Amino acid sequence: MCDPSWEVATDAELEAYADYRPDSGYGGVPGRMCRPGDRQIEDGFTFYGHRAALYAYRARACGDRSPTEARTWLETTEAGRGTWEAAKPPAATLADVPDCVLAALAERFQNAAHEDGLVLTGLPAYLQQLRADERTAVDQQLVYEGKEVERLEGILKDLRTARNRTVTRILAWADGRDDAEIARLASIPPDNVRDWRARLTTEQTTATP
């Protein structure tokens, strides 16, 4: 009743397996293994030694290397930090890399740790969490950008409306200024002012009885 993933599970993960309490069936490793198959061990049995068995299984898998949490090694040791810096994807963050790149990074980190006499535990989950955290930050950035664009578009709409009123007002003066001069003041192409003037002239002609 051994899962290969236990070979590199963190202490916290092993503890969770040992203490597992499903809604039905037995706790610990038997309950955890029977749960996916919707199986229940016959009543009357008591299982013990889950925790010791899990740690012993991992110890045998690690051999003469010491199990060390990936987060601890990568974030607090010189060797781990150096490996991380050397392995960073060029011009990208973890948020941008696919699963295959995460898997390649995990293998690279594990090999580097082996040279240090260690086995990294919880490594895939650690990298996936880092990527998830970065992607959450990108989501939050998009929310901010979306709201800011919406805000600025609202301001732009109001300013455009105000500008249009002012251009219409000046055109109505008919004070002899040409389209290019008014366009320069409004920061718009002269052709826009020419078309505007034509529309106003048409409207005024139509409105005259």
Side-chain angles (χ1 to χ4, degrees):
M1 299 178 68
C2 293
D3 188 318
S5 67
W6 298 345
E7 296 179 1
V8 289
T10 64
D11 289 356
E13 289 170 336
L14 294 185
E15 292 292 330
Y17 273 106
D19 292 334
Y20 180 71
R21 291 294 184 272
D23 295 335
S24 61
Y26 286 83
V29 176
R32 188 83 184 216
M33 299 302 287
C34 290
R35 182 69 171 172
D38 197 23
R39 302 293 296 274
Q40 184 170 343
I41 301 170
E42 184 179 355
D43 289 340
F45 286 90
T46 300
F47 295 90
Y48 57 89
H50 305 160
R51 186 172 283 96
L54 289 170
Y55 280 94
Y57 176 75
R58 188 182 67 179
R60 285 194 299 272
C62 291
D64 57 354
R65 295 189 175 98
S66 301
T68 303
E69 287 200 26
R71 179 186 298 275
T72 300
W73 187 72
L74 287 168
E75 295 184 2
T76 66
T77 70
E78 183 176 349
R81 288 194 297 266
T83 302
W84 176 254
E85 289 298 324
K88 278 185 177 178
T93 64
L94 284 182
D96 303 311
V97 303
D99 289 346
C100 61
V101 174
L102 280 190
L105 284 174
E107 182 177 2
R108 180 172 180 174
F109 293 152
Q110 195 67 269
N111 290 337
H114 285 175
E115 295 178 3
D116 222 16
L118 307 172
V119 171
L120 298 183
T121 61
L123 180 56
Y126 171 69
L127 293 177
Q128 289 166 7
Q129 185 59 54
L130 285 181
R131 184 177 66 177
D133 292 343
E134 289 190 7
R135 288 183 173 180
T136 296
V138 174
D139 288 346
Q140 294 171 346
Q141 176 186 341
L142 180 58
V143 170
Y144 165 76
E145 292 169 347
K147 290 181 178 179
E148 190 67 5
V149 167
E150 184 179 18
R151 182 184 70 83
L152 292 175
E153 285 179 342
I155 294 174
L156 179 60
K157 180 180 179 181
D158 292 341
L159 287 173
R160 186 180 289 115
T161 299
R163 181 202 62 188
N164 292 350
R165 285 197 303 265
T166 304
V167 170
T168 301
R169 183 180 180 185
I170 292 175
L171 286 173
W173 293 346
D175 59 0
R177 281 183 286 186
D178 61 16
D179 298 341
E181 184 177 357
I182 297 174
R184 179 179 57 79
L185 294 174
S187 298
I188 57 178
D191 288 347
N192 288 18
V193 177
R194 183 197 64 209
D195 295 341
W196 212 320
R197 189 189 296 275
R199 288 196 302 272
L200 286 175
T201 301
T202 301
E203 292 173 0
Q204 290 171 355
T205 302
T206 303
T208 302

